[in-house]
mmCIF file with all atom_site columns, all heavy atoms in Angstrom:
data_model
loop_
_atom_site.group_PDB
_atom_site.id
_atom_site.type_symbol
_atom_site.label_atom_id
_atom_site.label_alt_id
_atom_site.label_comp_id
_atom_site.label_asym_id
_atom_site.label_entity_id
_atom_site.label_seq_id
_atom_site.pdbx_PDB_ins_code
_atom_site.Cartn_x
_atom_site.Cartn_y
_atom_site.Cartn_z
_atom_site.occupancy
_atom_site.B_iso_or_equiv
_atom_site.pdbx_formal_charge
_atom_site.auth_seq_id
_atom_site.auth_comp_id
_atom_site.auth_asym_id
_atom_site.auth_atom_id
_atom_site.pdbx_PDB_model_num
ATOM 1   N N   . LEU A 1 1  ? 96.315  102.100 88.839  1.00 98.00 ? 1  LEU A N   1
ATOM 2   C CA  . LEU A 1 1  ? 97.750  102.126 89.022  1.00 98.00 ? 1  LEU A CA  1
ATOM 3   C C   . LEU A 1 1  ? 98.233  100.769 89.515  1.00 98.00 ? 1  LEU A C   1
ATOM 4   O O   . LEU A 1 1  ? 97.537  100.079 90.268  1.00 98.00 ? 1  LEU A O   1
ATOM 5   C CB  . LEU A 1 1  ? 98.153  103.198 90.032  1.00 98.00 ? 1  LEU A CB  1
ATOM 6   C CG  . LEU A 1 1  ? 97.650  104.619 89.765  1.00 98.00 ? 1  LEU A CG  1
ATOM 7   C CD1 . LEU A 1 1  ? 98.208  105.568 90.816  1.00 98.00 ? 1  LEU A CD1 1
ATOM 8   C CD2 . LEU A 1 1  ? 98.016  105.077 88.363  1.00 98.00 ? 1  LEU A CD2 1
ATOM 9   N N   . SER A 1 2  ? 99.431  100.406 89.104  1.00 98.00 ? 2  SER A N   1
ATOM 10  C CA  . SER A 1 2  ? 100.069 99.184  89.560  1.00 98.00 ? 2  SER A CA  1
ATOM 11  C C   . SER A 1 2  ? 101.427 99.517  90.152  1.00 98.00 ? 2  SER A C   1
ATOM 12  O O   . SER A 1 2  ? 102.088 100.469 89.733  1.00 98.00 ? 2  SER A O   1
ATOM 13  C CB  . SER A 1 2  ? 100.250 98.195  88.409  1.00 98.00 ? 2  SER A CB  1
ATOM 14  O OG  . SER A 1 2  ? 99.013  97.817  87.851  1.00 98.00 ? 2  SER A OG  1
ATOM 15  N N   . CYS A 1 3  ? 101.844 98.724  91.107  1.00 96.00 ? 3  CYS A N   1
ATOM 16  C CA  . CYS A 1 3  ? 103.160 98.856  91.704  1.00 96.00 ? 3  CYS A CA  1
ATOM 17  C C   . CYS A 1 3  ? 103.750 97.464  91.837  1.00 96.00 ? 3  CYS A C   1
ATOM 18  O O   . CYS A 1 3  ? 103.241 96.641  92.609  1.00 96.00 ? 3  CYS A O   1
ATOM 19  C CB  . CYS A 1 3  ? 103.078 99.540  93.066  1.00 96.00 ? 3  CYS A CB  1
ATOM 20  S SG  . CYS A 1 3  ? 104.645 99.622  93.961  1.00 96.00 ? 3  CYS A SG  1
ATOM 21  N N   . ALA A 1 4  ? 104.802 97.205  91.095  1.00 94.00 ? 4  ALA A N   1
ATOM 22  C CA  . ALA A 1 4  ? 105.463 95.909  91.109  1.00 94.00 ? 4  ALA A CA  1
ATOM 23  C C   . ALA A 1 4  ? 106.682 95.966  92.013  1.00 94.00 ? 4  ALA A C   1
ATOM 24  O O   . ALA A 1 4  ? 107.515 96.865  91.885  1.00 94.00 ? 4  ALA A O   1
ATOM 25  C CB  . ALA A 1 4  ? 105.864 95.503  89.696  1.00 94.00 ? 4  ALA A CB  1
ATOM 26  N N   . ALA A 1 5  ? 106.789 95.002  92.910  1.00 90.00 ? 5  ALA A N   1
ATOM 27  C CA  . ALA A 1 5  ? 107.893 94.931  93.854  1.00 90.00 ? 5  ALA A CA  1
ATOM 28  C C   . ALA A 1 5  ? 108.833 93.803  93.481  1.00 90.00 ? 5  ALA A C   1
ATOM 29  O O   . ALA A 1 5  ? 108.402 92.734  93.035  1.00 90.00 ? 5  ALA A O   1
ATOM 30  C CB  . ALA A 1 5  ? 107.376 94.727  95.272  1.00 90.00 ? 5  ALA A CB  1
ATOM 31  N N   . SER A 1 6  ? 110.111 94.034  93.683  1.00 88.00 ? 6  SER A N   1
ATOM 32  C CA  . SER A 1 6  ? 111.114 93.014  93.424  1.00 88.00 ? 6  SER A CA  1
ATOM 33  C C   . SER A 1 6  ? 112.309 93.243  94.332  1.00 88.00 ? 6  SER A C   1
ATOM 34  O O   . SER A 1 6  ? 112.433 94.287  94.969  1.00 88.00 ? 6  SER A O   1
ATOM 35  C CB  . SER A 1 6  ? 111.551 93.031  91.960  1.00 88.00 ? 6  SER A CB  1
ATOM 36  O OG  . SER A 1 6  ? 112.171 94.262  91.627  1.00 88.00 ? 6  SER A OG  1
ATOM 37  N N   . GLY A 1 7  ? 113.190 92.237  94.396  1.00 77.00 ? 7  GLY A N   1
ATOM 38  C CA  . GLY A 1 7  ? 114.458 92.393  95.081  1.00 77.00 ? 7  GLY A CA  1
ATOM 39  C C   . GLY A 1 7  ? 114.522 91.887  96.511  1.00 77.00 ? 7  GLY A C   1
ATOM 40  O O   . GLY A 1 7  ? 115.597 91.877  97.088  1.00 77.00 ? 7  GLY A O   1
ATOM 41  N N   . ARG A 1 8  ? 113.387 91.500  97.079  1.00 66.00 ? 8  ARG A N   1
ATOM 42  C CA  . ARG A 1 8  ? 113.375 90.949  98.423  1.00 66.00 ? 8  ARG A CA  1
ATOM 43  C C   . ARG A 1 8  ? 112.373 89.815  98.473  1.00 66.00 ? 8  ARG A C   1
ATOM 44  O O   . ARG A 1 8  ? 111.174 90.035  98.258  1.00 66.00 ? 8  ARG A O   1
ATOM 45  C CB  . ARG A 1 8  ? 113.050 92.015  99.464  1.00 66.00 ? 8  ARG A CB  1
ATOM 46  C CG  . ARG A 1 8  ? 113.222 91.537  100.889 1.00 66.00 ? 8  ARG A CG  1
ATOM 47  C CD  . ARG A 1 8  ? 113.149 92.690  101.867 1.00 66.00 ? 8  ARG A CD  1
ATOM 48  N NE  . ARG A 1 8  ? 113.368 92.257  103.232 1.00 66.00 ? 8  ARG A NE  1
ATOM 49  C CZ  . ARG A 1 8  ? 113.470 93.071  104.267 1.00 66.00 ? 8  ARG A CZ  1
ATOM 50  N NH1 . ARG A 1 8  ? 113.380 94.386  104.084 1.00 66.00 ? 8  ARG A NH1 1
ATOM 51  N NH2 . ARG A 1 8  ? 113.668 92.587  105.481 1.00 66.00 ? 8  ARG A NH2 1
ATOM 52  N N   . ARG A 1 9  ? 112.859 88.646  98.778  1.00 62.00 ? 9  ARG A N   1
ATOM 53  C CA  . ARG A 1 9  ? 112.059 87.451  98.599  1.00 62.00 ? 9  ARG A CA  1
ATOM 54  C C   . ARG A 1 9  ? 111.341 86.976  99.853  1.00 62.00 ? 9  ARG A C   1
ATOM 55  O O   . ARG A 1 9  ? 110.240 86.425  99.757  1.00 62.00 ? 9  ARG A O   1
ATOM 56  C CB  . ARG A 1 9  ? 112.960 86.332  98.067  1.00 62.00 ? 9  ARG A CB  1
ATOM 57  C CG  . ARG A 1 9  ? 112.223 85.097  97.609  1.00 62.00 ? 9  ARG A CG  1
ATOM 58  C CD  . ARG A 1 9  ? 113.159 84.166  96.872  1.00 62.00 ? 9  ARG A CD  1
ATOM 59  N NE  . ARG A 1 9  ? 112.467 82.985  96.367  1.00 62.00 ? 9  ARG A NE  1
ATOM 60  C CZ  . ARG A 1 9  ? 113.013 82.076  95.596  1.00 62.00 ? 9  ARG A CZ  1
ATOM 61  N NH1 . ARG A 1 9  ? 114.285 82.196  95.223  1.00 62.00 ? 9  ARG A NH1 1
ATOM 62  N NH2 . ARG A 1 9  ? 112.305 81.028  95.184  1.00 62.00 ? 9  ARG A NH2 1
ATOM 63  N N   . PHE A 1 10 ? 111.918 87.186  101.022 1.00 53.00 ? 10 PHE A N   1
ATOM 64  C CA  . PHE A 1 10 ? 111.413 86.536  102.225 1.00 53.00 ? 10 PHE A CA  1
ATOM 65  C C   . PHE A 1 10 ? 110.940 87.519  103.285 1.00 53.00 ? 10 PHE A C   1
ATOM 66  O O   . PHE A 1 10 ? 111.079 87.276  104.484 1.00 53.00 ? 10 PHE A O   1
ATOM 67  C CB  . PHE A 1 10 ? 112.495 85.619  102.808 1.00 53.00 ? 10 PHE A CB  1
ATOM 68  C CG  . PHE A 1 10 ? 112.887 84.516  101.886 1.00 53.00 ? 10 PHE A CG  1
ATOM 69  C CD1 . PHE A 1 10 ? 114.146 84.517  101.288 1.00 53.00 ? 10 PHE A CD1 1
ATOM 70  C CD2 . PHE A 1 10 ? 112.024 83.480  101.604 1.00 53.00 ? 10 PHE A CD2 1
ATOM 71  C CE1 . PHE A 1 10 ? 114.528 83.500  100.431 1.00 53.00 ? 10 PHE A CE1 1
ATOM 72  C CE2 . PHE A 1 10 ? 112.386 82.461  100.750 1.00 53.00 ? 10 PHE A CE2 1
ATOM 73  C CZ  . PHE A 1 10 ? 113.643 82.468  100.159 1.00 53.00 ? 10 PHE A CZ  1
ATOM 74  N N   . SER A 1 11 ? 110.359 88.591  102.871 1.00 65.00 ? 11 SER A N   1
ATOM 75  C CA  . SER A 1 11 ? 109.792 89.552  103.801 1.00 65.00 ? 11 SER A CA  1
ATOM 76  C C   . SER A 1 11 ? 108.295 89.709  103.552 1.00 65.00 ? 11 SER A C   1
ATOM 77  O O   . SER A 1 11 ? 107.797 89.425  102.464 1.00 65.00 ? 11 SER A O   1
ATOM 78  C CB  . SER A 1 11 ? 110.475 90.910  103.680 1.00 65.00 ? 11 SER A CB  1
ATOM 79  O OG  . SER A 1 11 ? 110.239 91.479  102.404 1.00 65.00 ? 11 SER A OG  1
ATOM 80  N N   . SER A 1 12 ? 107.591 90.162  104.571 1.00 78.00 ? 12 SER A N   1
ATOM 81  C CA  . SER A 1 12 ? 106.200 90.566  104.445 1.00 78.00 ? 12 SER A CA  1
ATOM 82  C C   . SER A 1 12 ? 106.112 92.049  104.768 1.00 78.00 ? 12 SER A C   1
ATOM 83  O O   . SER A 1 12 ? 106.858 92.557  105.610 1.00 78.00 ? 12 SER A O   1
ATOM 84  C CB  . SER A 1 12 ? 105.294 89.752  105.366 1.00 78.00 ? 12 SER A CB  1
ATOM 85  O OG  . SER A 1 12 ? 105.663 89.920  106.720 1.00 78.00 ? 12 SER A OG  1
ATOM 86  N N   . TYR A 1 13 ? 105.213 92.736  104.108 1.00 84.00 ? 13 TYR A N   1
ATOM 87  C CA  . TYR A 1 13 ? 105.129 94.163  104.317 1.00 84.00 ? 13 TYR A CA  1
ATOM 88  C C   . TYR A 1 13 ? 103.755 94.682  103.909 1.00 84.00 ? 13 TYR A C   1
ATOM 89  O O   . TYR A 1 13 ? 103.136 94.165  102.982 1.00 84.00 ? 13 TYR A O   1
ATOM 90  C CB  . TYR A 1 13 ? 106.222 94.913  103.546 1.00 84.00 ? 13 TYR A CB  1
ATOM 91  C CG  . TYR A 1 13 ? 106.478 94.385  102.146 1.00 84.00 ? 13 TYR A CG  1
ATOM 92  C CD1 . TYR A 1 13 ? 105.732 94.829  101.069 1.00 84.00 ? 13 TYR A CD1 1
ATOM 93  C CD2 . TYR A 1 13 ? 107.481 93.448  101.915 1.00 84.00 ? 13 TYR A CD2 1
ATOM 94  C CE1 . TYR A 1 13 ? 105.967 94.352  99.793  1.00 84.00 ? 13 TYR A CE1 1
ATOM 95  C CE2 . TYR A 1 13 ? 107.724 92.965  100.648 1.00 84.00 ? 13 TYR A CE2 1
ATOM 96  C CZ  . TYR A 1 13 ? 106.964 93.421  99.585  1.00 84.00 ? 13 TYR A CZ  1
ATOM 97  O OH  . TYR A 1 13 ? 107.200 92.945  98.318  1.00 84.00 ? 13 TYR A OH  1
ATOM 98  N N   . GLY A 1 14 ? 103.316 95.689  104.617 1.00 91.00 ? 14 GLY A N   1
ATOM 99  C CA  . GLY A 1 14 ? 102.167 96.433  104.171 1.00 91.00 ? 14 GLY A CA  1
ATOM 100 C C   . GLY A 1 14 ? 102.553 97.355  103.027 1.00 91.00 ? 14 GLY A C   1
ATOM 101 O O   . GLY A 1 14 ? 103.724 97.700  102.845 1.00 91.00 ? 14 GLY A O   1
ATOM 102 N N   . MET A 1 15 ? 101.565 97.748  102.266 1.00 93.00 ? 15 MET A N   1
ATOM 103 C CA  . MET A 1 15 ? 101.802 98.620  101.120 1.00 93.00 ? 15 MET A CA  1
ATOM 104 C C   . MET A 1 15 ? 100.893 99.830  101.203 1.00 93.00 ? 15 MET A C   1
ATOM 105 O O   . MET A 1 15 ? 99.745  99.730  101.651 1.00 93.00 ? 15 MET A O   1
ATOM 106 C CB  . MET A 1 15 ? 101.554 97.889  99.809  1.00 93.00 ? 15 MET A CB  1
ATOM 107 C CG  . MET A 1 15 ? 102.498 96.724  99.548  1.00 93.00 ? 15 MET A CG  1
ATOM 108 S SD  . MET A 1 15 ? 104.202 97.273  99.233  1.00 93.00 ? 15 MET A SD  1
ATOM 109 C CE  . MET A 1 15 ? 103.970 98.214  97.720  1.00 93.00 ? 15 MET A CE  1
ATOM 110 N N   . GLY A 1 16 ? 101.409 100.949 100.760 1.00 96.00 ? 16 GLY A N   1
ATOM 111 C CA  . GLY A 1 16 ? 100.633 102.171 100.747 1.00 96.00 ? 16 GLY A CA  1
ATOM 112 C C   . GLY A 1 16 ? 100.798 102.933 99.454  1.00 96.00 ? 16 GLY A C   1
ATOM 113 O O   . GLY A 1 16 ? 101.753 102.725 98.701  1.00 96.00 ? 16 GLY A O   1
ATOM 114 N N   . TRP A 1 17 ? 99.847  103.800 99.193  1.00 98.00 ? 17 TRP A N   1
ATOM 115 C CA  . TRP A 1 17 ? 99.918  104.761 98.100  1.00 98.00 ? 17 TRP A CA  1
ATOM 116 C C   . TRP A 1 17 ? 99.895  106.166 98.671  1.00 98.00 ? 17 TRP A C   1
ATOM 117 O O   . TRP A 1 17 ? 99.089  106.473 99.560  1.00 98.00 ? 17 TRP A O   1
ATOM 118 C CB  . TRP A 1 17 ? 98.749  104.595 97.124  1.00 98.00 ? 17 TRP A CB  1
ATOM 119 C CG  . TRP A 1 17 ? 98.850  103.401 96.234  1.00 98.00 ? 17 TRP A CG  1
ATOM 120 C CD1 . TRP A 1 17 ? 98.280  102.187 96.416  1.00 98.00 ? 17 TRP A CD1 1
ATOM 121 C CD2 . TRP A 1 17 ? 99.556  103.328 94.988  1.00 98.00 ? 17 TRP A CD2 1
ATOM 122 N NE1 . TRP A 1 17 ? 98.581  101.348 95.373  1.00 98.00 ? 17 TRP A NE1 1
ATOM 123 C CE2 . TRP A 1 17 ? 99.372  102.025 94.480  1.00 98.00 ? 17 TRP A CE2 1
ATOM 124 C CE3 . TRP A 1 17 ? 100.330 104.229 94.258  1.00 98.00 ? 17 TRP A CE3 1
ATOM 125 C CZ2 . TRP A 1 17 ? 99.930  101.600 93.271  1.00 98.00 ? 17 TRP A CZ2 1
ATOM 126 C CZ3 . TRP A 1 17 ? 100.888 103.813 93.060  1.00 98.00 ? 17 TRP A CZ3 1
ATOM 127 C CH2 . TRP A 1 17 ? 100.683 102.510 92.582  1.00 98.00 ? 17 TRP A CH2 1
ATOM 128 N N   . PHE A 1 18 ? 100.769 107.001 98.142  1.00 98.00 ? 18 PHE A N   1
ATOM 129 C CA  . PHE A 1 18 ? 100.824 108.415 98.467  1.00 98.00 ? 18 PHE A CA  1
ATOM 130 C C   . PHE A 1 18 ? 100.737 109.214 97.177  1.00 98.00 ? 18 PHE A C   1
ATOM 131 O O   . PHE A 1 18 ? 100.928 108.681 96.085  1.00 98.00 ? 18 PHE A O   1
ATOM 132 C CB  . PHE A 1 18 ? 102.118 108.760 99.198  1.00 98.00 ? 18 PHE A CB  1
ATOM 133 C CG  . PHE A 1 18 ? 102.203 108.231 100.601 1.00 98.00 ? 18 PHE A CG  1
ATOM 134 C CD1 . PHE A 1 18 ? 102.460 106.893 100.843 1.00 98.00 ? 18 PHE A CD1 1
ATOM 135 C CD2 . PHE A 1 18 ? 102.037 109.074 101.689 1.00 98.00 ? 18 PHE A CD2 1
ATOM 136 C CE1 . PHE A 1 18 ? 102.545 106.398 102.131 1.00 98.00 ? 18 PHE A CE1 1
ATOM 137 C CE2 . PHE A 1 18 ? 102.125 108.603 102.984 1.00 98.00 ? 18 PHE A CE2 1
ATOM 138 C CZ  . PHE A 1 18 ? 102.372 107.265 103.206 1.00 98.00 ? 18 PHE A CZ  1
ATOM 139 N N   . ARG A 1 19 ? 100.481 110.497 97.314  1.00 98.00 ? 19 ARG A N   1
ATOM 140 C CA  . ARG A 1 19 ? 100.514 111.375 96.153  1.00 98.00 ? 19 ARG A CA  1
ATOM 141 C C   . ARG A 1 19 ? 101.066 112.728 96.559  1.00 98.00 ? 19 ARG A C   1
ATOM 142 O O   . ARG A 1 19 ? 100.995 113.124 97.721  1.00 98.00 ? 19 ARG A O   1
ATOM 143 C CB  . ARG A 1 19 ? 99.130  111.529 95.527  1.00 98.00 ? 19 ARG A CB  1
ATOM 144 C CG  . ARG A 1 19 ? 98.100  112.209 96.419  1.00 98.00 ? 19 ARG A CG  1
ATOM 145 C CD  . ARG A 1 19 ? 96.725  112.120 95.787  1.00 98.00 ? 19 ARG A CD  1
ATOM 146 N NE  . ARG A 1 19 ? 95.712  112.816 96.563  1.00 98.00 ? 19 ARG A NE  1
ATOM 147 C CZ  . ARG A 1 19 ? 94.415  112.799 96.293  1.00 98.00 ? 19 ARG A CZ  1
ATOM 148 N NH1 . ARG A 1 19 ? 93.967  112.109 95.242  1.00 98.00 ? 19 ARG A NH1 1
ATOM 149 N NH2 . ARG A 1 19 ? 93.560  113.470 97.055  1.00 98.00 ? 19 ARG A NH2 1
ATOM 150 N N   . GLN A 1 20 ? 101.621 113.419 95.575  1.00 98.00 ? 20 GLN A N   1
ATOM 151 C CA  . GLN A 1 20 ? 102.199 114.724 95.824  1.00 98.00 ? 20 GLN A CA  1
ATOM 152 C C   . GLN A 1 20 ? 101.952 115.623 94.623  1.00 98.00 ? 20 GLN A C   1
ATOM 153 O O   . GLN A 1 20 ? 102.377 115.318 93.513  1.00 98.00 ? 20 GLN A O   1
ATOM 154 C CB  . GLN A 1 20 ? 103.694 114.624 96.111  1.00 98.00 ? 20 GLN A CB  1
ATOM 155 C CG  . GLN A 1 20 ? 104.306 115.928 96.570  1.00 98.00 ? 20 GLN A CG  1
ATOM 156 C CD  . GLN A 1 20 ? 105.682 115.734 97.171  1.00 98.00 ? 20 GLN A CD  1
ATOM 157 O OE1 . GLN A 1 20 ? 106.335 114.716 96.954  1.00 98.00 ? 20 GLN A OE1 1
ATOM 158 N NE2 . GLN A 1 20 ? 106.129 116.713 97.944  1.00 98.00 ? 20 GLN A NE2 1
ATOM 159 N N   . ALA A 1 21 ? 101.264 116.715 94.872  1.00 97.00 ? 21 ALA A N   1
ATOM 160 C CA  . ALA A 1 21 ? 101.032 117.735 93.855  1.00 97.00 ? 21 ALA A CA  1
ATOM 161 C C   . ALA A 1 21 ? 102.095 118.816 93.973  1.00 97.00 ? 21 ALA A C   1
ATOM 162 O O   . ALA A 1 21 ? 102.702 118.989 95.038  1.00 97.00 ? 21 ALA A O   1
ATOM 163 C CB  . ALA A 1 21 ? 99.638  118.334 94.025  1.00 97.00 ? 21 ALA A CB  1
ATOM 164 N N   . PRO A 1 22 ? 102.348 119.571 92.899  1.00 92.00 ? 22 PRO A N   1
ATOM 165 C CA  . PRO A 1 22 ? 103.362 120.624 92.960  1.00 92.00 ? 22 PRO A CA  1
ATOM 166 C C   . PRO A 1 22 ? 103.092 121.607 94.089  1.00 92.00 ? 22 PRO A C   1
ATOM 167 O O   . PRO A 1 22 ? 101.971 122.092 94.262  1.00 92.00 ? 22 PRO A O   1
ATOM 168 C CB  . PRO A 1 22 ? 103.252 121.307 91.591  1.00 92.00 ? 22 PRO A CB  1
ATOM 169 C CG  . PRO A 1 22 ? 102.712 120.245 90.692  1.00 92.00 ? 22 PRO A CG  1
ATOM 170 C CD  . PRO A 1 22 ? 101.766 119.448 91.549  1.00 92.00 ? 22 PRO A CD  1
ATOM 171 N N   . GLY A 1 23 ? 104.121 121.878 94.862  1.00 94.00 ? 23 GLY A N   1
ATOM 172 C CA  . GLY A 1 23 ? 104.000 122.810 95.965  1.00 94.00 ? 23 GLY A CA  1
ATOM 173 C C   . GLY A 1 23 ? 103.305 122.275 97.189  1.00 94.00 ? 23 GLY A C   1
ATOM 174 O O   . GLY A 1 23 ? 103.111 123.025 98.151  1.00 94.00 ? 23 GLY A O   1
ATOM 175 N N   . LYS A 1 24 ? 102.937 121.004 97.180  1.00 96.00 ? 24 LYS A N   1
ATOM 176 C CA  . LYS A 1 24 ? 102.233 120.400 98.303  1.00 96.00 ? 24 LYS A CA  1
ATOM 177 C C   . LYS A 1 24 ? 103.081 119.308 98.938  1.00 96.00 ? 24 LYS A C   1
ATOM 178 O O   . LYS A 1 24 ? 103.973 118.745 98.309  1.00 96.00 ? 24 LYS A O   1
ATOM 179 C CB  . LYS A 1 24 ? 100.897 119.801 97.847  1.00 96.00 ? 24 LYS A CB  1
ATOM 180 C CG  . LYS A 1 24 ? 99.957  120.780 97.180  1.00 96.00 ? 24 LYS A CG  1
ATOM 181 C CD  . LYS A 1 24 ? 99.469  121.833 98.149  1.00 96.00 ? 24 LYS A CD  1
ATOM 182 C CE  . LYS A 1 24 ? 98.440  122.735 97.487  1.00 96.00 ? 24 LYS A CE  1
ATOM 183 N NZ  . LYS A 1 24 ? 97.947  123.774 98.428  1.00 96.00 ? 24 LYS A NZ  1
ATOM 184 N N   . GLU A 1 25 ? 102.781 119.024 100.185 1.00 95.00 ? 25 GLU A N   1
ATOM 185 C CA  . GLU A 1 25 ? 103.450 117.928 100.863 1.00 95.00 ? 25 GLU A CA  1
ATOM 186 C C   . GLU A 1 25 ? 102.896 116.595 100.379 1.00 95.00 ? 25 GLU A C   1
ATOM 187 O O   . GLU A 1 25 ? 101.779 116.512 99.864  1.00 95.00 ? 25 GLU A O   1
ATOM 188 C CB  . GLU A 1 25 ? 103.277 118.047 102.376 1.00 95.00 ? 25 GLU A CB  1
ATOM 189 C CG  . GLU A 1 25 ? 104.012 119.212 102.994 1.00 95.00 ? 25 GLU A CG  1
ATOM 190 C CD  . GLU A 1 25 ? 103.978 119.178 104.505 1.00 95.00 ? 25 GLU A CD  1
ATOM 191 O OE1 . GLU A 1 25 ? 103.202 118.376 105.073 1.00 95.00 ? 25 GLU A OE1 1
ATOM 192 O OE2 . GLU A 1 25 ? 104.726 119.944 105.122 1.00 95.00 ? 25 GLU A OE2 1
#
């Protein structure tokens, strides 16, 4: 999987992946 970020040039941030199955949190 890939996640491309855009729209904010001068910030630093950690990144995470989440998932959600039907009926689950």
Side-chain angles (χ1 to χ4, degrees):
L1 306 183
S2 299
C3 175
S6 63
R8 188 169 182 174
R9 190 169 182 174
F10 298 110
S11 64
S12 60
Y13 41 86
M15 296 291 297
W17 286 96
F18 289 76
R19 64 189 183 186
Q20 188 166 19
K24 303 293 185 180
E25 291 188 348

